[in-house]
Amino acid sequence: QIYTAQYKATKNELYDIILANKHGRNNESIRYQISIIKDLFPELKVNFFVDTLFYDFILITGTLSDDYGIKSLMIEKKRKSDSLIKLQVKNIPTIQSFYHKIPITSKMLNQQEPIEVRVILTDNDKPNNYKSTFSDPFHLQLPDNKYFRTLLSKKSKSSENSIKELISKNQSIQEKLLNMEEKLKITKNLSWKDRSMFKEILNEKQQLEHAIYELSQKMTELNNQENKFSDKDLVLQQKATQLKELISSILDEKTKKLFNELERLLQENKDIHKTLSNIQNKERSIEQELNRALELFKRLKLENDLDQAQKAIEKLSQNQKKLYNETMNKEFSLNEMKIRQNNISQEFEKFKQDINKIKLLNQELLRPEPLSPTKNSEKIIDESLKQINDALEKKEREKAYKQQKNASDEM
């Protein structure tokens, strides 16, 4: 016969089995040991990665396991308001991997909210009220606008220098080709040294092509970052795309075919005069295109910087007007007004520094542009701001708010 019994064991203990029936019982019992294997805490390993190129997302990856099974896997995201993200997971005891992307929105970038994220893994041990393992919290403080402006400025300067380096390399190739062309006018036979020189030219040309390709990729990255981190208008975005396309178009198949043909003729000991002349013409054309790209790049940078400067002075004018209304309505103490007015003056000093850089860049253009980022000269605005600060120092509130109105209008 088969007998069954149920008993909830929560600790190590002994139990006895005694055989009995209606006629009597066995004097000896059979003893067994119950050993409880405790349910362990679930195991969790987590890695956090931030997309520092475009700040589009936080990537969370990791592995998890438990000796019996999993109830849930959650991502806890703490900002101004907390939120939980539930991830799909199998209720099995084997090791599992997971990944999840948390998007970084434009709103989060603009507000520069600190973000805290952690992962919570809970097992299926219901009798013991479940057990959870927590990852270390991951903290992310999003960079401010100043960081992004500096980043874009450095990358822009790097791209400009890359174009200048390409022009220099192209000129070096042209010079060497010209020397070889002049030499071939004197003799038809190429020496070993001449052939080595041609190999060097071919190698430099390959390096130049690779550098042009890298610049094209760099320009794509820069355009995408500018679109992400600055409020560049549609016209400037289109011009940036056209500049990138111009740089990409320099790598045309005709140039590659000419250099491949030159390499083949050198190997076959055939006449290279015509091919060499065609290459010379093509390289001069490439130099013109690179110079054109450099000029367009500078002009685009000028227009972009000027656009950002105009937006900055418009915002500064709005802040000055707002402070004028608050001063007139006596919403703040004189000390608070002095602090806020001083902030506006410091921002205007920074604006003037940006304008000086724009003016220097403008002078580098073949055809400089007329510049008028403010309604009046910076000198007039400077004088108004000085008069405001003087009035506040002398506690002349009425005089201060009149000058604040003037300064706002002049910007």
Side-chain angles (χ1 to χ4, degrees), residues 180-264:
M180 295 307 297
E181 193 173 28
E182 292 297 322
K183 193 168 187 178
L184 286 172
K185 290 178 181 178
I186 301 171
T187 176
K188 293 183 179 181
N189 297 321
L190 293 173
S191 65
W192 176 85
K193 188 176 180 180
D194 296 332
R195 293 182 180 278
S196 297
M197 178 56 71
F198 270 118
K199 286 183 180 178
E200 184 180 320
I201 293 171
L202 290 169
N203 184 49
E204 285 185 19
K205 181 61 182 177
Q206 288 178 349
Q207 292 176 4
L208 179 64
E209 288 177 350
H210 182 68
I212 291 173
Y213 172 77
E214 285 189 335
L215 175 62
S216 177
Q217 299 299 108
K218 188 186 292 186
M219 290 298 297
T220 300
E221 182 180 298
L222 176 61
N223 290 347
N224 290 338
Q225 287 184 316
E226 284 179 337
N227 295 340
K228 173 82 176 183
F229 303 134
S230 66
D231 51 346
K232 187 164 66 174
D233 64 34
L234 185 59
V235 174
L236 290 176
Q237 290 181 32
Q238 291 171 344
K239 288 183 178 181
T241 302
Q242 290 169 1
L243 174 59
K244 186 261 176 185
E245 290 172 352
L246 170 62
I247 293 171
S248 299
S249 68
I250 296 172
L251 285 171
D252 65 332
E253 288 299 318
K254 187 176 180 181
T255 307
K256 292 180 182 179
K257 287 179 180 178
L258 283 171
F259 273 90
N260 289 338
E261 183 182 351
L262 176 62
E263 189 173 17
R264 179 182 62 80

Side-chain angles (χ1 to χ4, degrees), residues 80-169:
K80 288 182 178 178
S81 59
D82 297 350
S83 61
L84 284 173
I85 304 167
K86 187 173 183 179
L87 304 185
Q88 292 294 323
V89 65
K90 296 177 181 177
N91 184 17
I92 55 176
T94 55
I95 295 177
Q96 304 175 58
S97 60
F98 69 93
Y99 79 94
H100 183 76
K101 281 184 180 180
I102 295 179
I104 299 174
T105 63
S106 298
K107 182 181 178 182
M108 291 162 66
L109 277 175
N110 292 335
Q111 295 178 347
Q112 293 149 26
E113 288 184 32
I115 302 170
E116 180 184 317
V117 181
R118 69 172 177 173
V119 180
I120 306 169
L121 177 64
T122 305
D123 69 7
N124 63 356
D125 186 12
K126 186 176 181 180
N128 293 305
N129 298 321
Y130 305 113
K131 296 185 298 299
S132 295
T133 299
F134 300 83
S135 73
D136 291 332
F138 174 77
H139 299 274
L140 174 63
Q141 177 61 61
L142 293 171
D144 57 15
N145 292 331
K146 183 180 178 182
Y147 168 85
F148 290 123
R149 284 197 302 268
T150 303
L151 173 71
L152 294 175
S153 177
K154 286 181 179 178
K155 291 206 168 189
S156 177
K157 190 63 181 175
S158 174
S159 296
E160 181 182 343
N161 290 337
S162 294
I163 298 175
K164 291 178 179 177
E165 288 174 11
L166 290 177
I167 293 172
S168 177
K169 288 178 181 179

Side-chain angles (χ1 to χ4, degrees), residues 178-401:
L178 181 61
N179 290 337
M180 295 307 297
E181 193 173 28
E182 292 297 322
K183 193 168 187 178
L184 286 172
K185 290 178 181 178
I186 301 171
T187 176
K188 293 183 179 181
N189 297 321
L190 293 173
S191 65
W192 176 85
K193 188 176 180 180
D194 296 332
R195 293 182 180 278
S196 297
M197 178 56 71
F198 270 118
K199 286 183 180 178
E200 184 180 320
I201 293 171
L202 290 169
N203 184 49
E204 285 185 19
K205 181 61 182 177
Q206 288 178 349
Q207 292 176 4
L208 179 64
E209 288 177 350
H210 182 68
I212 291 173
Y213 172 77
E214 285 189 335
L215 175 62
S216 177
Q217 299 299 108
K218 188 186 292 186
M219 290 298 297
T220 300
E221 182 180 298
L222 176 61
N223 290 347
N224 290 338
Q225 287 184 316
E226 284 179 337
N227 295 340
K228 173 82 176 183
F229 303 134
S230 66
D231 51 346
K232 187 164 66 174
D233 64 34
L234 185 59
V235 174
L236 290 176
Q237 290 181 32
Q238 291 171 344
K239 288 183 178 181
T241 302
Q242 290 169 1
L243 174 59
K244 186 261 176 185
E245 290 172 352
L246 170 62
I247 293 171
S248 299
S249 68
I250 296 172
L251 285 171
D252 65 332
E253 288 299 318
K254 187 176 180 181
T255 307
K256 292 180 182 179
K257 287 179 180 178
L258 283 171
F259 273 90
N260 289 338
E261 183 182 351
L262 176 62
E263 189 173 17
R264 179 182 62 80
L265 292 173
L266 286 169
Q267 290 174 352
E268 297 175 359
N269 292 321
K270 291 184 178 180
D271 184 67
I272 62 171
H273 286 81
K274 184 178 179 181
T275 303
L276 198 57
S277 178
N278 290 337
I279 287 175
Q280 277 280 71
N281 292 333
K282 191 63 182 173
E283 288 303 306
R284 281 192 288 270
S285 175
I286 288 175
E287 183 183 4
Q288 291 172 359
E289 290 297 294
L290 286 171
N291 279 312
R292 181 180 165 220
L294 180 60
E295 178 72 7
L296 285 175
F297 183 88
K298 289 180 179 179
R299 190 169 293 278
L300 180 61
K301 187 176 187 307
L302 174 75
E303 292 178 6
N304 188 53
D305 289 354
L306 191 58
D307 179 62
Q308 295 300 315
Q310 286 173 333
K311 287 174 180 174
I313 197 65
E314 285 170 8
K315 184 178 179 181
L316 203 56
S317 175
Q318 291 170 3
N319 291 342
Q320 184 65 81
K321 188 174 183 179
K322 181 181 177 184
L323 185 57
Y324 154 72
N325 291 326
E326 291 167 345
T327 303
M328 189 170 62
N329 296 329
K330 299 181 180 181
E331 294 183 19
F332 295 102
S333 66
L334 275 171
N335 189 53
E336 178 66 19
M337 285 164 52
K338 280 161 59 175
I339 293 172
R340 296 181 66 178
Q341 185 62 58
N342 186 55
N343 289 338
I344 290 176
S345 297
Q346 288 178 357
E347 284 296 314
F348 186 70
E349 285 300 315
K350 183 185 175 303
F351 168 79
K352 288 196 300 180
Q353 293 172 7
D354 292 340
I355 290 300
N356 287 335
K357 291 177 183 177
I358 289 171
K359 288 177 180 178
L360 290 173
L361 177 59
N362 191 41
Q363 292 306 311
E364 293 180 18
L365 297 177
L366 296 176
R367 296 187 304 278
E369 298 285 345
L371 300 178
S372 55
T374 55
K375 295 175 185 176
N376 290 293
S377 71
E378 289 85 28
K379 189 175 180 180
I380 294 175
I381 300 171
D382 255 339
E383 183 60 30
S384 292
L385 292 174
K386 183 177 182 301
Q387 290 179 17
I388 295 169
N389 289 321
D390 288 346
L392 290 173
E393 286 294 330
K394 295 175 182 177
K395 299 182 179 180
E396 297 173 343
R397 184 186 288 266
E398 186 173 340
K399 183 178 178 181
Y401 81 71

Side-chain angles (χ1 to χ4, degrees), residues 29-79:
S29 64
I30 304 172
R31 175 162 289 189
Y32 292 94
Q33 170 76 37
I34 296 177
S35 296
I36 301 298
I37 300 175
K38 287 190 175 181
D39 192 309
L40 302 175
F41 272 78
E43 294 186 3
L44 177 65
K45 293 180 180 178
V46 183
N47 296 302
F48 298 92
F49 304 95
V50 180
D51 166 31
T52 54
L53 189 60
F54 298 111
Y55 281 90
D56 278 337
F57 58 84
I58 301 170
L59 177 63
I60 304 171
T61 66
T63 58
L64 58 95
S65 64
D66 187 66
D67 48 356
Y68 287 100
I70 302 298
K71 176 180 180 287
S72 67
L73 178 66
M74 311 285 285
I75 294 175
E76 183 182 49
K77 185 170 64 171
K78 291 187 176 183
R79 287 166 56 210

